[in-house]
Amino acid sequence: MNDTQTLAQRADALEEKMSQELDYILIKSRLYSMAEADMGPQPNAAAIMAKNPNARVLMGDDPRLPPMPEKPTIIDFFKYRFGPAAHLLQSAKHAVNAGLPENMVLACLLHDISTIGFIRGDHGYWGAQLVEPYVDEEVTWAIRAHQVLRFYADESVGYEYPQSYIKTFGADYQPDPYVDDDYKRMRNHKWYMSGRMITVHDIYSFDPDAKVELEEFTDVIGRNFRQPEQGLGFDNSPVAHMWRAMIRPAKYL
């Protein structure tokens, strides 16, 4: 396979090769189909297999993706499943430079992992749930809260509504009512400022030339992220299935 191809091009080429060789049938999830505005019936795997007796639905590792270690760590997910993480690395570095405590540096490092590895909508809520068994409660709360607080200015810390949001969502955009309700609750919470600190250090216009390496945060992660011995996805936690979904996003069932 051509080494000069992009990751997406290699994935497309391998998917076509798999299809031609009738090794695997790839059935995309309903959520994926809905994101493409496709409400049609799901492909019938049994019917496809009947026409191609050598074919099987994909139930193991996806050969189009980089292989994961047997006991994956959060660092492995950064390396092999999360998209480009420059935004998260720069936000965490910004928090370090501001003298924030390590748990808040970790919160800045993890605050958008749902966006870059799992799902975009309500990413703060999803991201908090992903890490809840492995971090302090304050970190979980802050990650969830940043989803809401970013839409509301706070002059006391110099946080203004991001100009990029006006361009991205439109000047007339108003947060959904559930977001406004959560804001009112979060505004009076004991950890309000922890969630607010993520928005303060959430770099909305990050420097494409800045170089921040994940290894700079190895010790912070080691001291503040309770890595399960069995590996993320295999520790029987309430969120293990979510990590497994990122390990094998095309698994049939």
Side-chain angles (χ1 to χ4, degrees):
M1 192 173 295
N2 189 349
D3 290 338
T4 64
Q5 290 181 314
T6 66
L7 182 60
Q9 289 172 329
R10 292 199 300 271
D12 289 342
L14 187 51
E15 181 173 354
E16 182 178 358
K17 179 176 181 291
M18 289 167 63
S19 176
Q20 291 173 347
E21 294 179 354
L22 304 180
D23 288 333
Y24 296 104
I25 299 168
L26 297 176
I27 307 295
K28 295 184 172 79
S29 70
R30 169 54 73 191
L31 186 62
Y32 182 100
S33 300
M34 286 193 293
E36 297 293 332
D38 178 4
M39 290 299 294
Q42 290 283 86
N44 188 309
I48 298 174
M49 292 173 65
K51 294 179 181 179
N52 305 283
N54 293 327
R56 296 293 182 269
V57 293
L58 183 64
M59 286 294 286
D61 293 330
D62 190 332
R64 300 172 301 169
L65 292 172
M68 291 287 281
E70 182 179 351
K71 298 178 179 180
T73 67
I74 185 66
I75 290 177
D76 292 324
F77 276 89
F78 267 93
K79 290 180 177 179
Y80 304 120
R81 286 298 181 272
F82 294 164
H87 167 67
L88 294 182
L89 294 173
Q90 288 192 29
S91 293
K93 186 70 170 182
H94 203 262
V96 170
N97 293 341
L100 265 62
E102 282 193 351
N103 65 335
M104 287 298 97
V105 172
L106 183 71
C108 288
L109 181 66
L110 300 178
H111 75 276
D112 277 352
I113 61 170
S114 176
T115 297
I116 65 175
F118 193 60
I119 191 171
R120 296 190 66 87
D122 278 342
H123 70 279
Y125 298 90
W126 283 107
Q129 189 175 1
L130 275 165
V131 301
E132 191 165 15
Y134 315 111
V135 299
D136 290 345
E137 186 179 357
E138 183 180 2
V139 173
T140 301
W141 194 93
I143 292 174
R144 182 180 294 107
H146 100 274
Q147 157 81 27
V148 170
L149 300 181
R150 63 202 172 109
F151 292 113
Y152 301 89
D154 186 337
E155 294 181 359
S156 73
V157 292
Y159 179 79
E160 300 178 352
Y161 185 81
Q163 289 296 309
S164 62
Y165 282 10
I166 296 175
K167 180 179 180 181
T168 303
F169 306 132
D172 59 345
Y173 174 76
Q174 294 293 323
D176 291 317
Y178 75 88
V179 174
D180 201 50
D181 289 343
D182 269 359
Y183 171 69
K184 293 171 184 175
R185 288 188 287 267
M186 292 172 175
R187 189 67 182 83
N188 297 314
H189 195 277
K190 64 179 180 179
W191 286 328
Y192 163 76
M193 197 53 68
S194 299
R196 176 56 72 192
M197 283 299 99
I198 293 182
T199 71
V200 168
H201 299 286
D202 198 354
I203 310 302
Y204 295 95
S205 298
F206 67 92
D207 183 355
D209 297 320
K211 302 299 181 185
V212 184
E213 302 296 335
L214 180 61
E215 286 71 22
E216 296 181 38
F217 305 100
T218 300
D219 290 343
V220 171
I221 293 171
R223 287 189 290 265
N224 296 274
F225 190 93
R226 296 185 289 272
Q227 172 65 38
E229 180 181 352
Q230 304 91 333
L232 289 169
F234 305 101
D235 58 332
N236 198 36
S237 80
V239 300
H241 61 287
M242 296 167 66
W243 293 94
R244 290 196 300 269
M246 289 187 284
I247 294 172
R248 293 175 168 176
K251 188 177 179 183
Y252 183 62
L253 289 176

